[in-house]
Amino acid sequence: MLGDMTQTKILISGASVAGPALAYWLHRYGYRVTVVEKAPDLRGGGYAVDFRGDVHMTMLRRMGVLADIERLRTRMGATWYVNSAGKRLVKMPDDLFAGDVEILRGDLAQVLYQATRDDTEYIFGDSISSAEEDADGVTVHFERGDPRRFDLVIGADGVHSKVRSVAFGPEDRYVKHLGLHCAIFTAPNHLGLSYSGLAYSTPGKVVSVYSARDNTETKALFYFASPAADYHRHDVARQKKILAETFRGNGWETDPLLVTMWDSPDFYFDSVSQVHMDTWTRGRFALLGDAAWCPSSLSGMGTGLAMVGAYVLAGELATAEGDHRTAFAAYERELRAYVRGCQKQGEGVSRLMVPESPVLAWFLRLNFKLIPYLPWKGLMAKSVRKTASAYTLKPYTTPTRRP
Ligand SMILES: Cc1cc2nc3c(=O)[nH]c(=O)nc-3n(C[C@H](O)[C@H](O)[C@H](O)COP(=O)(O)OP(=O)(O)OC[C@H]3O[C@@H](n4cnc5c(N)ncnc54)[C@H](O)[C@@H]3O)c2cc1C
């Protein structure tokens, strides 16, 4: 037992979505929370993420952040598939990409940060370097700050989680490459898009561009089939070169978009991966969000799932009155099936983009131009919504704020 919750100190690694969401709930249940974030400041901007279905919307309402999120929503409308000449071929359902409410990831992080900053200790520009657990707690060492003691340590630090490597072992045991890479960066709105997106696909490659920040800019998004590539995760110059070489001469607006890539302020590049773990908790450590179960960016589920996970983890800790063993076991039980459903969604989409079977590959090659016309597009939107809704939020004890 950890005893009095107001005396329980919890360290969260990562201040994006899962970390601040967990800080929010833990504070409401009376815990003392510190969040450490590797970046020097809250990372802004980024790509659009969405929430869909009753589970997500109820959770946002319970947190009291829905109004702020709606104020900052992207207001994205249709995405059109185009041919190589830019002719609009077919409109995809609005909610397939934008859900019920869509917001830039950095804006969401800002909303969650504002909701927690007064009651949470935030440390930017630092990272856990190592941690030792004993019977009473965890001694955490930082890259810059002095060592400190905590009762629990939670990793909400993404696919390449430091907490996971410290407490569970190396990344290659858990991170499964789905055979695709993804890049995204901010570009000028030279196509004059108005709350809309365009997508151009060829077998194993998709380029899409959608307007953002009231059409003052766009996000250029690239997916391409590729085995695990040979580059360092922080070597942006090499990553840009890989993207340029892969997509040069791809057709449609690809080359002009690639020209803008070199000066882009926020280039992001990573493999499209999932995280699979038999357990998300060990001793006084727990993982949350992409660090624990990343369903991949193609699932469209990662953000809602990270926030539902934060709600459940904090709720179970409160229900167990701080007994982390009981709470962690309940957290795993509660979320396993929901997480698995969301991961399946991500696997399904990646298999369509990089088919494993030669027969499916042949079929898709022949029919690629037809895919947007097929009834599947409506079914896809329904299926994503069904996956997002396949969970029942527990009420947990009515949270009371500490004075
Ligand atoms: C291109 C793209 C498009 C996406 N589109 C969607 C979408 O449409 N819908 C959707 O729901 N989801 C989408 N996602 C997924 C979504 O972004 C993630 O699932 C979600 O952000 C997970 O949140 P998280 O807080 O768990 O992890 P992250 O957002 O990855 O945050 C991890 C945080 O930890 C920090 N960190 C890392 N290492 C350390 C360390 N050592 N110490 C301290 N801090 C550290 C990072 O700087 C970061 O702030 C998309 C992702 C990508 C890449």
Side-chain angles (χ1 to χ4, degrees), residues 292-303:
W293 54 60
C294 177
S296 98
S297 52
L298 287 172
S299 71
M301 292 288 156
T303 309

Side-chain angles (χ1 to χ4, degrees), residues 255-305:
D255 285 346
L257 282 171
L258 287 175
V259 169
T260 66
M261 168 188 75
W262 300 102
D263 295 326
S264 162
D266 58 356
F267 182 80
Y268 166 95
F269 185 97
D270 206 346
S271 64
V272 176
S273 299
Q274 292 190 330
V275 174
H276 289 268
M277 305 185 75
D278 292 337
T279 174
W280 304 315
T281 60
R282 177 167 290 170
R284 292 173 176 273
F285 295 90
L287 299 172
L288 170 69
D290 276 7
W293 54 60
C294 177
S296 98
S297 52
L298 287 172
S299 71
M301 292 288 156
T303 309
L305 192 52

Side-chain angles (χ1 to χ4, degrees), residues 20-85:
L22 180 65
Y24 175 86
W25 289 110
L26 288 176
H27 166 71
R28 282 186 65 169
Y29 294 124
Y31 291 95
R32 290 164 64 188
V33 185
T34 300
V35 178
V36 60
E37 164 61 48
K38 182 175 70 167
D41 301 297
L42 204 64
R43 291 161 58 231
Y47 43 84
V49 297
D50 51 77
F51 297 96
R52 70 189 73 217
D54 285 350
V55 178
H56 291 177
M57 301 308 275
T58 305
M59 183 256 318
L60 295 177
R61 247 178 243 115
R62 283 190 192 167
M63 271 187 95
V65 293
L66 183 56
D68 287 331
I69 290 173
E70 285 189 325
R71 187 171 45 80
L72 294 166
R73 69 189 303 164
T74 61
R75 295 197 281 140
M76 267 294 287
T79 294
W80 288 82
Y81 271 84
V82 295
N83 67 12
S84 58

Side-chain angles (χ1 to χ4, degrees), residues 24 30 46 55 75 94 128 154 181 185 251 266-267 320 328 338 341 352 354 393:
Y24 175 86
V55 178
R75 295 197 281 140
D94 294 9
I128 294 172
I154 314 293
H181 273 75
F185 54 86
D266 58 356
F267 182 80
F328 285 178
Y338 188 44
L352 268 186
V354 193
L393 286 175

